[in-house]
Amino acid sequence: MKLFGNIYIIAAFAVATLAPFPALAFSPSCPPNKSARSTSQVEAKAQTRGDFLSTAVTAAITSATLVTPIQPAYARGRATLEQAYDRYTPRIIEGGQFYKGQLYGAISKGDWKTVESATAEPPKKSKEDRKLQDGGIAKRAALAGGFSDSRVLTAMDLFAATFSESSIAPKTKAMKAEVEKLREVVQGLNKGARIAQGEEKSGGGLFGIGGKAPSQGELTKELKDLYLTGGNAYNQYVFVANDGLPVQLKKLPFL
């Protein structure tokens, strides 16, 4: 850890990519003060690792870790921090590993089908699901993307909520703010992947200006920028979560 002014720069993740995808370290900023004021993020120097070019692109999805989504408000006060840690952090950690592994590989290679499936939500419960003993939970869970809202972001929201009791704590607000950034990133990646495959038309804004469809080069750049934004948000979430975490609980790893 290197002190730079008032900011602790933690170079937690740096990988090489195919040009023109620059390799940047995802860096959390300094811990929030009592007002939970957000601070700027600092990029670390790019590093080169040629062996990453051979990373296999997969959409490995398991159903064992996906539980039925629960509103964060119900998590507060019902579970101790230790119980919430055991329940939610495995999904958060596995999501981070998927993000810097399979999802990174898919984006760097322009494998938009994999990016789409990696950020996809499970289908809604069908009549056939209701006939199953578990209501189709296991089947639908297997269809959730490796870094989808249902699989990862819901767990991040719920874990953040456990740091609050009768009122929402600054720490919870700071963590949930990063989850919202990630939620926008996931939605953007999914939409961009569908546009790249011709499954959806761009309508201005992020993936088209004035209704003009972006070129493949412009679209690729937008998606890679989104990926970097998401990595920084994930690391900032972890940084805030680890701040003041009881010593008996292992700190969450950065990307």
Side-chain angles (χ1 to χ4, degrees):
M1 190 177 294
K2 177 181 179 183
L3 182 62
F4 181 79
N6 293 325
I7 300 177
Y8 287 104
I9 303 174
I10 303 177
F13 176 68
V15 294
T17 62
L18 295 175
F21 195 3
L24 297 177
F26 296 139
S27 303
S29 54
C30 63
N33 57 22
K34 293 183 179 179
S35 63
R37 180 179 59 195
S38 62
T39 56
S40 63
Q41 297 172 329
V42 182
E43 295 182 352
K45 291 182 179 179
Q47 296 182 10
T48 301
R49 277 177 47 194
D51 57 338
F52 199 88
L53 299 178
S54 61
T55 301
V57 179
T58 61
I61 299 173
T62 61
S63 62
T65 59
L66 186 62
V67 298
T68 303
I70 305 171
Q71 292 299 321
Y74 296 137
R76 286 199 304 271
R78 187 180 68 178
T80 64
L81 177 58
E82 290 80 6
Q83 291 172 331
Y85 180 94
D86 291 340
R87 183 174 185 181
Y88 302 123
T89 60
R91 285 166 58 188
I92 296 171
I93 294 171
E94 289 171 8
Q97 293 171 340
F98 184 92
Y99 194 91
K100 71 176 183 179
Q102 291 97 316
L103 184 56
Y104 169 82
I107 292 175
S108 65
K109 295 179 180 180
D111 183 356
W112 306 128
K113 187 63 178 178
T114 296
V115 173
E116 180 185 3
S117 63
T119 54
E121 289 299 295
K124 294 181 179 180
K125 183 181 291 187
S126 64
K127 292 182 180 179
E128 289 72 21
D129 291 333
R130 293 187 176 91
K131 297 177 183 178
L132 300 175
Q133 187 174 4
D134 67 346
I137 292 177
K139 184 182 77 173
R140 290 187 298 115
L143 299 175
F147 202 86
S148 61
D149 198 314
S150 295
R151 186 177 293 276
V152 182
L153 303 189
T154 297
M156 296 179 79
D157 260 335
L158 290 167
F159 186 57
T162 61
F163 292 98
S164 295
E165 295 181 358
S166 58
S167 61
I168 302 177
K171 180 168 184 170
T172 293
K173 291 181 180 179
M175 292 170 68
K176 288 175 72 67
E178 302 306 322
V179 178
E180 286 307 309
K181 293 178 186 177
L182 278 166
R183 192 161 277 125
E184 292 180 1
V185 166
V186 168
Q187 292 171 356
L189 288 174
N190 188 269
K191 179 179 179 179
R194 295 198 307 273
I195 293 174
Q197 297 174 87
E199 297 176 2
E200 183 175 326
K201 293 183 178 180
S202 59
L206 181 62
F207 298 112
I209 301 175
K212 180 181 178 181
S215 66
Q216 280 294 319
E218 292 171 334
L219 185 59
T220 298
K221 182 181 182 303
E222 291 284 359
L223 291 174
K224 290 175 178 179
D225 288 345
L226 274 175
Y227 175 83
L228 293 174
T229 298
N232 283 324
Y234 182 96
N235 270 6
Q236 180 64 14
Y237 175 96
V238 168
F239 190 73
V240 177
N242 287 342
D243 185 37
L245 198 67
V247 294
Q248 67 270 25
L249 300 179
K250 186 177 180 180
K251 291 184 181 296
L252 277 63
F254 292 101
L255 297 182

